[in-house]
C-alpha cells in the first residue's frame, strides 16, 4: 500500500517466481529481476554440487534502497542469501535439475526516493510516482552463463515471464503501465468498458489495481492524482493509452501526438514485424524517456515534433529491447542503434521535406567521436565506457550506422528483408550480434563476417580517397583514376562520374572478401561493375573511356551511406 506521502512509507510486496530451465538455460515465467547463478547443474547426483541463485535487487537511491528481508524461501524452505551491491545471491536448498522447477519467495521493502535516474517520486514535471526498477528481478541465464550485472540506472537485461501484479494505492491515484488491467470495471478512470459507470464509495480509501502481463521481461507503472487518460484503438486492434498531467500548456500537444503514435505502430509493424501485445501506454513521468514493457515513461512538456520523435524512439524499443531483447548491457548498439534507425526512418516519412539520407545525424556524431580520439569498440560493456558521451554515440549513432551502412553494402531492399527476417526468427530469443550478421548473410548471400568484426569489435575506420585522375599514358582519349584506401576498414566502392555534357555513369568495385555483387542502387544511371578490390591492397586503378577534360566531377559514395571519416578526399572536381 502507498499513502498520499509515498516517499515516507515503505512499500512491501512479495515476489514469487517459478523457474523452469532447459539445458539451454531458458527460464520462462519470470516475475523478478532475480538472477540465479548456477555453479553446477550436472545430473545432481554428486553430493558436492551446489546450485546458486542470484537475485538482483534494485538500488533506488541514497538511503532508499530496495532491501530483502530475512524471509527468503525456496519451495517453502528457508535459504541463505548474500547481497553484493545490487545483487542478491541465494543458495538453493536442493539442486535444480534441467527441466525441473522451484518456487522462490522473497519478501522485500523499499523507499521511493525523490525522482532520480529512471525512477522515483515527484519528478520535475510534478508526476507523483514513476515506478521503474522497483522490485527484485530475475537475471538472465543463457548459453554464455549468468548475466548478473549490477544495475546502475543505465541498460538492463531480463527474463521473460508472466506477471500477475496487484497494486493497492490510495483511491485518488490514476495508474498506467505494463500489462492488461483485469478489474477495469471496478477501477474506472477511463479504463472501464464503454457504457459502464464506476462509482467508488466515499468511505473507501484505496483501490487495488490488478494487472496481468504475459511474456514480458519487466513491469513498470506510474501514478498521479491529476492524470488525464485518453485511449485510442488502432487499426491493428492495439489499444493505445495516454496518461498525462492535467496541464493546459501540454494538453493540445498530447492530443495531437496520439494519431502519430498510431501511425508509428502501423509503420513499425510493416517495417519490422507485428507488435505482439494488445496495449501500449505513453505515460508522462520519469526523467527523460525510457522504454519498458508495453509502455514508455517520458517527460511531456516539449514541443510537438520533438515529442513525436521521443515517442517514435521509445515505442521502437518495444521491438528491439522487449521482443527481440538482445542483451542491452553487452550490446547496447543492437537496441539503441537499431531503434534509432527505425525512428529516423519513420520521422523522415512524417517530414514535409524528405531527406535523401535520414541517418546523416548519426554519421556526423560518429565522425566527431572518431576525431575526439576517445572512441571505444562497440563490444565495450555499456557500463564500462570511459565517458558517457562515447557510450551514447557508440550505442545510438554507430549502432544505427551498422544498419544504414548495410544499405550501402547489400542494398535497401535486402536490408529491409533482413530486419523483418531477423525479427521473425529471433523474437523472444535474446539474439546476439552474430544473429543479425547471419540473417543479413542469409538474405543477401554476402559474406559479412569482416563487417561485424571491424565495425563492432575494433575502432578501425573507413577512409577512401581519390589519389589521382590523369590522362592515360597509352591513350590520351582515356583517363586513369587511382583510388586509395587510407583507413584500416575495407569496403566495396560506389563511384559516380559526372561529365561536362551533363551525362553521368557509375562504377562499382566489389570487395573481394564479401563474395558479393550489389544490385545497382541507381538503375537510371548506367553502371559498370569493375574487378574486385582485395583488402590487402591500398591502391586501385581503373580507366575511363573519356578524356580528363570531359570530366566535371568524380565522387566516392554519392549516397553518403558509407561512414567515411574524411569526406574531403572523396571528390575530384575540375
Amino acid at each position: 500500500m502507498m499513502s498520499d506521502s509515498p516517499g515516507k512509507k515503505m512499500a512491501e510486496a512479495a515476489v514469487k517466481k517459478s523457474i523452469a530451465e532447459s539445458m539451454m538455460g531458458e527460464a520462462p515465467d519470470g516475475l523478478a529481476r532475480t538472477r540465479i547463478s548456477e555453479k553446477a547443474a550436472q545430473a545432481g547426483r554428486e553430493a558436492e554440487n551446489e546450485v546458486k541463485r542470484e537475485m538482483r535487487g534494485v538500488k533506488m537511491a541514497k538511503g532508499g534502497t530496495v532491501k530483502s528481508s530475512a524471509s527468503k524461501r525456496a519451495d517453502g524452505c528457508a535459504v541463505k542469501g548474500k547481497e553484493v551491491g545490487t545483487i542478491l545471491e541465494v543458495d538453493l536448498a536442493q539442486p535444480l535439475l534441467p527441466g525441473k522447477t522451484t518456487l522462490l519467495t522473497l519478501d522485500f521493502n523499499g523507499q521511493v526516493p525523490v525522482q532520480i535516474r529512471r525512477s522515483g517520486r515527484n519528478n520535475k514535471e510534478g508526476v507523483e510516482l514513476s515506478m521503474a526498477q522497483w522490485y527484485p528481478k530475475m537475471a538472465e541465464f543463457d548459453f554464455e552463463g549468468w548475466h548478473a550485472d549490477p544495475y546502475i540506472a543505465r541498460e538492463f537485461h531480463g527474463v521473460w515471464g508472466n506477471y500477475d501484479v496487484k497494486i493497492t494505492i490510495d483511491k485518488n491515484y490514476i495508474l498506467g503501465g505494463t500489462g492488461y488491467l483485469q478489474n477495469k470495471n471496478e477501477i474506472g478512470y477511463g479504463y472501464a468498458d464503454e457504457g459502464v459507470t464506476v462509482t467508488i464509495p466515499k468511505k473507501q480509501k484505496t483501490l487495488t489495481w490488478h494487472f496481468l502481463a504475459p511474456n514480458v521481461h519487466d513491469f513498470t507503472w506510474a501514478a498521479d492524482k491529476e492524470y488525464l487518460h485518453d485511449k485510442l484503438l488502432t487499426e491493428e486492434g492495439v489499444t493505445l493509452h495516454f496518461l498525462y498531467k492535467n496541464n493546459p500548456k501540454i494538453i493540445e500537444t498530447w492530443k495531437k501526438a496520439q494519431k502519430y503514435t498510431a501511425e508509428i505502430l502501423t509503420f513499425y509493424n510493416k517495417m519490422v514485424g507485428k507488435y505482439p501485445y494488445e496495449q501500449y501506454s505513453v505515460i508522462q513521468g520519469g526523467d527523460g524517456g525510457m522504454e519498458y514493457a508495453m509502455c514508455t515513461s517520458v517527460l511531456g512538456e516539449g514541443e510537438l515534433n520533438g515529442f513525436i520523435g521521443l515517442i517514435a524512439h521509445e515505442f521502437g524499443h518495444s521491438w528491439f529491447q522487449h521482443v527481440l531483447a538482445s542483451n542491452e548491457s553487452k550490446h547496447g548498439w543492437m537496441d539503441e542503434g537499431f531503434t534509432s534507425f527505425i525512428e529516423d526512418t519513420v520521422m523522415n516519412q512524417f517530414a514535409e521535406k524528405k531527406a535523401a539520407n535520414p541517418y546523416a545525424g548519426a554519421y556526423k556524431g560518429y565522425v566527431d567521436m572518431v576525431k575526439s580520439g576517445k572512441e571505444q569498440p562497440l563490444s565495450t560493456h555499456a557500463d564500462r565506457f570511459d565517458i558517457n558521451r562515447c557510450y551514447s554515440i557508440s550505442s545510438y549513432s554507430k549502432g544505427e550506422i551498422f544498419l544504414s551502412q548495410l544499405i550501402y553494402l547489400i542494398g535497401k531492399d535486402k536490408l529491409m528483408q533482413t530486419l523483418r527476417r531477423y525479427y521473425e526468427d529471433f523474437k523472444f530469443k535474446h539474439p546476439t550480434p552474430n544473429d543479425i550478421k547471419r540473417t543479413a548473410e542469409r538474405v543477401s548471400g554476402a559474406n559479412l563476417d569482416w563487417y561485424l568484426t571491424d565495425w563492432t569489435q575494433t575502432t578501425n575506420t573507413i577512409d577512401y580517397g581519390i589519389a589521382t585522375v590523369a590522362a592515360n599514358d597509352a591513350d590520351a582519349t582515356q583517363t586513369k583514376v587511382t583510388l586509395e584506401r587510407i583507413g584500416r576498414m575495407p569496403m566495396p566502392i560506389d563511384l559516380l562520374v559526372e561529365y561536362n555534357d551533363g551525362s553521368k555513369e557509375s562504377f562499382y568495385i566489389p570487395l573481394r572478401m564479401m563474395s558479393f555483387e550489389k544490385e545497382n542502387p541507381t538503375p537510371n544511371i548506367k553502371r559498370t561493375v569493375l574487378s574486385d578490390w582485395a583488402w590487402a591492397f591500398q591502391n586501385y586503378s581503373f580507366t575511363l573511356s573519356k578524356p580528363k577534360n570531359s570530366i566535371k566531377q568524380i565522387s566516392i559514395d554519392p549516397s553518403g551511406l558509407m561512414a567515411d571519416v574524411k569526406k574531403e578526399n572523396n571528390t575530384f572536381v575540375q
Side-chain angles (χ1 to χ4, degrees), residues 198-211:
V198 178
T199 302
I200 301 169
K202 290 183 179 181
K203 293 183 178 180
Q204 183 175 329
K205 294 183 178 180
T206 64
L207 286 174
T208 296
W209 298 62
H210 183 196
F211 294 94

Side-chain angles (χ1 to χ4, degrees), residues 303-318:
E303 52 84 27
L304 180 62
N305 191 61
F307 187 49
I308 294 168
L310 179 61
I311 293 171
H313 184 84
E314 302 308 333
F315 199 177
H317 280 294
S318 294

